[in-house]
Amino acid sequence: MIQGRKIAPTKARVGSARADYVRDINTQAAADRVRVALIEDDESVRQALAFQLGTAGFEVAGYSSAEELLEASDATEFDCVVADIYLPKMNGLELQAELNRTIPYASIVFITGHGDLSLGMHAMRNGAVDFLEKPVDDQALLKSVERGCERSRKRRAERLQLIELEDARRSLTAREREVFVLITSGLLNKQVAAELGTTERTVKAHRASVMNKMGAGSLADLVRMSGVLQLHAAE
């Protein structure tokens, strides 16, 4: 079981600036803790679930509404969100849509006191990890939260990698970008030279510069980066 400790939630508007986003995910990647946001308007249920998750080793912050979580300064740092789907004002599905828009790597586990299967299917089609009925089975909840945490951390790492690769790609010149696309599409240096109307020697120089700026140790690395960036020869 991954270890953590309880914290008290703080409030503030979630920043959307790129620099803040990168700082947040770098901070989280460096911290060896698993954080869970628990949203439940029934205080007694919220306390019981927080105790259950905390005893299992998760670091838990409790909120009485979706709005309260979204206004928290550390909202981007949670590995998983556990939420009652029937929340006041903004309900669980609306929260899920907002998280998908603003914190795309966030995972959510829904709990409900109403056995609405169609609602649960809708939530899971939109990315929910699970849809659990109250009273919530201890093991089912813990397993769902662990899956959610693993999914979030993987998505966060992938998002950070994409941001870093996009930054590196922006450092390339227009011709270097053309060479990047063509050599990772499978063309040989001489074929790239013919395509661009230049010499093979010039292509080799551009290729070396691309490798250096992108931080690629091999052509295979560069091809992988191209896949992450979803580059196409049509560019």
Side-chain angles (χ1 to χ4, degrees):
M1 184 64 64
I2 314 174
Q3 295 301 313
R5 59 185 185 281
K6 293 186 180 181
I7 60 165
T10 58
K11 297 183 180 180
R13 181 64 59 183
V14 178
S16 58
R18 181 185 183 86
D20 289 340
Y21 179 87
V22 174
R23 186 190 64 240
D24 287 343
I25 54 184
N26 273 323
T27 298
Q28 178 60 22
D32 185 20
R33 55 181 182 174
V34 180
R35 304 191 62 206
V36 176
L38 173 62
I39 313 174
E40 168 61 64
D41 59 314
D42 186 317
E43 184 175 359
S44 62
V45 174
R46 184 170 67 249
Q47 290 179 347
L49 290 173
F51 177 79
Q52 180 180 339
L53 291 167
T55 299
F58 295 104
E59 184 175 320
V60 184
Y63 302 93
S64 60
S65 68
E67 292 85 352
E68 190 179 353
L69 167 67
L70 295 173
E71 290 175 0
S73 61
D74 54 357
T76 61
E77 297 179 16
F78 290 106
D79 294 293
C80 187
V81 176
V82 177
D84 191 321
I85 204 163
Y86 291 102
L87 293 169
K89 296 182 181 180
M90 179 184 286
N91 63 39
L93 294 181
E94 291 170 333
L95 169 63
Q96 183 181 28
E98 182 64 13
L99 290 176
N100 286 342
R101 186 181 70 82
T102 60
I103 315 175
Y105 53 79
S107 294
I108 188 165
V109 174
F110 282 119
I111 56 177
T112 178
H114 309 275
D116 191 334
L117 183 59
S118 62
L119 196 63
M121 290 298 102
H122 177 79
M124 294 180 73
R125 279 195 299 270
N126 284 304
V129 176
D130 215 337
F131 188 79
L132 306 173
E133 291 187 38
K134 299 176 185 176
V136 180
D137 178 78
D138 290 4
Q139 291 305 311
L141 175 62
L142 296 179
K143 287 180 181 179
S144 294
V145 170
E146 286 187 344
R147 287 203 311 274
C149 290
E150 290 171 2
R151 182 187 298 181
S152 288
R153 290 196 164 196
K154 179 181 179 181
R155 287 176 175 174
R156 186 185 286 112
E158 290 171 347
R159 181 63 180 164
L160 177 57
Q161 180 189 39
L162 178 59
I163 289 173
E164 291 175 338
L165 289 178
E166 287 174 341
D167 286 344
R169 182 173 179 266
R170 274 191 287 272
S171 72
L172 304 179
T173 66
R175 180 47 60 93
E176 287 171 347
R177 292 184 187 185
E178 291 177 324
V179 171
F180 185 8
V181 171
L182 292 171
I183 63 175
T184 55
S185 67
L187 297 184
L188 301 174
N189 289 338
K190 62 181 179 180
Q191 293 173 313
V192 174
E195 181 76 20
L196 298 178
T198 187
T199 66
E200 186 174 351
R201 181 177 180 179
T202 299
V203 169
K204 287 181 178 179
H206 285 312
R207 174 172 173 166
S209 182
V210 170
M211 297 277 286
N212 180 58
K213 289 182 179 180
M214 294 301 298
S218 65
L219 177 58
D221 285 343
L222 210 58
V223 171
R224 178 186 56 79
M225 293 174 183
S226 175
V228 173
L229 290 166
Q230 297 184 344
L231 300 183
H232 304 284
E235 296 186 18

